[in-house]
């Protein structure tokens, strides 16, 4: 059943008649039961949501059945775009294309059962044991132990990325990722750069083992360790390990740039402006505050000096593994040349966002930041990067709409709280640096 805030979003979006179905897990459960009765679907949970107001909404689901979990994804279209999907489906699949979707005409919704995915062309091959063995034999000729490996899903963002674990024996494991066309080239470019790194303690990295350019998947070494995000949720997970994490991050920032793409200041500015527009749509009462805040953050980002070093670009505790052998930092798919302060900013923003959403204990961010900076500066033998508060503010604003995407029950309140945190970070930035505008953040933005 939809919450009152969800119903208000649905009422505003008259172009997507199927939006309510995708946001309501009970309605989606009923629809999927009708479409795939042989699964005897018992429960359904939303695992992914991507929403572009007035254009489309994509949702991923994990269903529970007597025979085990089953995955689906569904997309709500505008009437015009759905008509094109309908025609293409009626004409039949072309060679190499995904299987036909289940269509719900009165809702303009199409749904696919895993592993069918129109953008992830290699997923069906990897999901089939026979085809997986054939592809791995071809792409990993020096790793015969992996040819017969089983595949376990770790994370799946429909039409965007799939992450799985290949396991042949307890000691023969690998990571495989399947990408959409947009992300694959940068991911492979980053993988080649990481392969050439010479890293020191405590950083551990995963090297690529092979790829399929046509099917857009990359196989990499498996790194063992406990995710730092899980450690942080434990009773004693406040600041421990973060000096080592800071040192590991310094190791990344000192590496040779290789063939990495450059991150332009305009990219960060456009991202915060887009996030403000998303907030304005979800919570119209926050429109003025969100756009004013975004404009000020964007102006400061554009005025930054252009430091260009290898940065992770998606750095958070979810990308860190803790082990007895060191700190593993994973997922370099978005790696660019940019300002090292951006990695600090995304990391601390992730922490604050999770504190606001209740996923982490509150009050630990300051201590973690100190430990992170201390470890970084000891390893790099330099001062911490400048403008960290600015990048935390930008990261928080980008995360604000994710309160809705994560399907949190009280997402409107959480969005407002995240914006307050972002505004405070921008005020902290203004106290230490000459702002682009005289009044960086007024009291009305608090």
């Amino acid at each position: 059943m939809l919450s009152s805030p969800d119903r208000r979003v649905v009422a505003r979006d008259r172009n997507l008649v199927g939006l309510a179905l995708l946001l309501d897990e009970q309605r989606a459960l009923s629809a999927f039961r009708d479409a795939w009765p042989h699964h005897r679907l018992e429960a359904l949970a939303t695992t992914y949501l991507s929403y572009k107001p007035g254009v489309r909404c994509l949702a991923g689901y994990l269903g529970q059945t007597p025979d085990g979990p089953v995955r689906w994804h569904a997309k709500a279209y505008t009437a015009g775009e759905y008509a094109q999907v309908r025609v293409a489906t009626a004409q039949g699949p072309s060679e190499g294309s995904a299987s036909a979707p289940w269509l719900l005409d009165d809702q303009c919704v199409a749904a696919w059962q895993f592993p069918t995915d129109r953008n992830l062309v290699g997923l069906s091959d990897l999901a089939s044991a026979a085809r997986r063995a054939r592809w791995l034999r071809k792409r990993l000729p020096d790793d015969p132990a992996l040819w017969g490996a089983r595949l376990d899903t770790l994370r799946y963002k429909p039409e965007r990325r799939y992450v799985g674990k290949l396991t042949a024996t307890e000691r023969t494991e690998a990571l495989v990722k399947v990408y959409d066309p947009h992300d694959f080239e940068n991911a492979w470019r980053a993988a080649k750069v990481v392969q050439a790194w010479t890293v020191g303690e405590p950083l551990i990295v995963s090297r690529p083992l092979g790829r399929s350019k046509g099917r857009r998947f990359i196989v990499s070494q498996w790194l063992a360790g406990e995710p730092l995000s899980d450690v942080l949720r434990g009773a004693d997970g406040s600041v421990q390990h973060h000096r080592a994490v800071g040192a590991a991050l310094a190791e990344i920032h000192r590496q040779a740039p290789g063939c990495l793409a450059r991150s332009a200041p305009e990219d960060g500015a456009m991202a915060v402006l887009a996030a403000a527009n998303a907030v304005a749509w979800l919570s119209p009462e926050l429109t003025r505050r969100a756009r004013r805040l975004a404009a000020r953050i964007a102006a400061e980002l554009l005025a930054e000096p252009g430091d260009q070093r290898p940065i992770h670009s998606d750095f958070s505790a979810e990308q860190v593994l803790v082990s007895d052998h060191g700190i593993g930092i994973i997922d370099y798919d978005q790696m660019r040349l940019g300002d090292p302060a951006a990695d600090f900013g995304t990391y601390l923003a992730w922490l604050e966002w999770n504190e606001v959403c209740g996923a982490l204990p509150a009050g630990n961010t300051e201590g973690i930041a100190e430990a992170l900076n201390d470890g970084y500066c000891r390893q790099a033998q330099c001062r911490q990067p400048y403008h960290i508060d600015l990048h935390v503010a930008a990261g928080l604003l980008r995360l604000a709409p994710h309160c809705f995407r994560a399907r949190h029950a009280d997402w409107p309140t959480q969005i407002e709280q995240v914006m307050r945190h972002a505004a405070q970070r921008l005020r902290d930035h203004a106290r230490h640096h000459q702002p682009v505008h005289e009044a960086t953040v007024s009291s009305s933005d608090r």
Side-chain angles (χ1 to χ4, degrees):
M1 184 176 179
L2 292 179
S3 65
S4 295
D6 285 343
R7 287 197 295 272
R8 288 193 290 270
V9 171
V10 169
R12 284 195 294 275
D13 199 334
R14 299 180 182 275
N15 288 337
L16 297 181
V17 295
L19 180 61
L21 170 64
L22 267 58
L23 296 181
D24 189 335
E25 289 179 354
Q26 290 302 312
R27 286 188 62 188
L29 174 63
S30 178
F32 285 7
R33 279 174 172 165
D34 291 342
W36 290 279
H38 60 284
H39 281 307
R40 296 172 293 161
L41 192 58
E42 298 171 343
L44 196 72
T46 305
T47 57
Y48 178 76
L49 188 71
S50 176
Y51 174 43
K52 189 173 183 179
V55 180
R56 66 183 64 89
C57 181
L58 172 66
Y61 302 99
L62 180 63
Q64 299 300 326
T65 77
D67 300 320
V70 181
R71 295 179 184 273
W72 288 275
H73 69 276
K75 184 181 284 189
Y77 295 93
T78 62
E81 193 171 0
Y82 180 78
Q84 298 177 28
V85 174
R86 198 77 174 85
V87 170
T89 302
Q91 291 175 343
S94 59
E95 184 178 356
S97 66
S99 300
W102 167 72
L103 300 175
L104 191 60
D105 291 340
D106 64 332
Q107 298 292 313
C108 294
V109 165
W112 294 263
Q113 183 179 335
F114 183 88
T116 299
D117 192 306
R118 301 187 306 165
N119 281 5
L120 306 184
V121 295
L123 188 53
S124 293
D125 286 329
L126 285 172
S128 163
R131 293 201 298 271
R132 179 169 68 246
R134 185 171 66 249
W135 278 101
L136 293 178
R137 181 185 295 269
K138 181 179 179 181
R139 300 300 175 181
L140 305 179
D142 298 328
D143 296 282
L146 288 171
W147 296 346
R150 78 169 189 270
L151 178 68
D152 297 306
T153 298
L154 300 179
R155 183 172 297 182
Y156 177 43
K157 295 182 177 181
E159 299 189 3
R160 176 78 183 276
R161 187 174 65 168
Y162 171 87
V163 184
K165 181 181 181 182
L166 294 169
T167 305
T169 67
E170 291 184 0
R171 296 186 179 182
T172 305
E173 300 168 319
L175 187 76
V176 61
K177 295 183 181 180
V178 188
Y179 300 87
D180 70 4
H182 177 74
D183 289 338
F184 176 77
E185 288 303 327
N186 191 75
W188 180 242
R189 184 187 301 117
K192 290 190 293 184
V193 170
V194 172
Q195 190 172 34
W197 282 359
T198 301
V199 299
E201 294 182 356
L203 177 63
I204 305 171
V205 298
S206 170
R207 314 283 186 177
L209 300 174
R211 69 161 177 167
S212 170
K213 186 174 182 180
R215 312 310 283 172
R216 296 197 296 269
F217 69 75
I218 298 173
V219 181
S220 306
Q221 294 171 331
W222 177 260
L223 291 187
E226 183 178 8
L228 184 55
S229 53
D230 292 346
V231 175
L232 288 170
R233 294 183 179 98
D236 58 348
S238 55
V239 299
Q240 67 178 108
H241 305 300
H242 277 89
R243 285 183 179 83
V245 173
L249 184 61
E251 278 292 299
I252 291 177
H253 292 167
R254 77 169 184 84
Q255 299 298 319
C259 58
L260 291 175
R262 292 181 177 270
S263 178
E266 292 80 5
D267 297 335
M270 291 300 295
V272 294
L273 293 172
N277 287 335
V279 168
W281 174 266
L282 295 169
S283 299
E285 66 277 8
L286 298 177
T287 297
R288 180 174 175 272
R289 290 168 57 186
R291 289 178 174 162
R292 281 168 57 90
L293 180 60
R296 288 160 176 158
I297 293 174
E300 295 292 333
L301 289 173
L302 290 171
E304 274 197 305
D307 195 355
Q308 295 288 319
R309 280 188 273 168
I311 62 173
H312 189 282
S313 292
D314 188 27
F315 193 49
S316 74
E318 292 181 332
Q319 318 296 357
V320 177
L321 299 174
V322 178
S323 74
D324 294 336
H325 306 291
I327 298 295
I329 296 182
I330 60 175
D331 197 358
Y332 295 94
D333 300 337
Q334 304 301 320
M335 190 164 64
R336 299 284 194 280
L337 293 178
D339 188 344
D343 279 342
F344 280 84
T346 56
Y347 192 92
L348 298 176
W350 181 91
L351 290 173
E352 288 195 31
W353 183 81
N354 275 276
E355 288 184 2
V356 168
C357 297
L360 292 177
N364 289 332
T365 301
E366 184 175 352
I368 287 174
E370 291 179 0
L372 197 69
N373 291 334
D374 181 61
Y376 186 92
C377 293
R378 287 174 184 267
Q379 187 79 4
Q381 297 181 348
C382 66
R383 298 178 61 185
Q384 71 182 49
Y386 294 104
H387 310 302
I388 289 177
D389 285 324
L390 172 61
H391 286 279
V392 178
L396 283 166
L397 186 51
R398 291 195 304 268
L399 284 170
H402 285 249
C403 302
F404 170 79
R405 290 182 57 184
R407 310 306 298 129
H408 294 161
D410 194 21
W411 59 261
T413 300
Q414 290 175 352
I415 286 177
E416 184 173 13
Q417 290 174 341
V418 171
M419 285 183 51
R420 288 179 184 272
H421 280 248
Q424 180 59 55
R425 285 291 189 166
L426 190 56
R427 287 191 291 273
D428 294 342
H429 169 73
R431 280 198 294 269
H432 297 97
H433 304 278
Q434 180 67 37
V436 173
H437 303 290
E438 288 187 10
T440 310
V441 183
S442 67
S443 60
S444 65
D445 295 312
R446 299 180 183 178

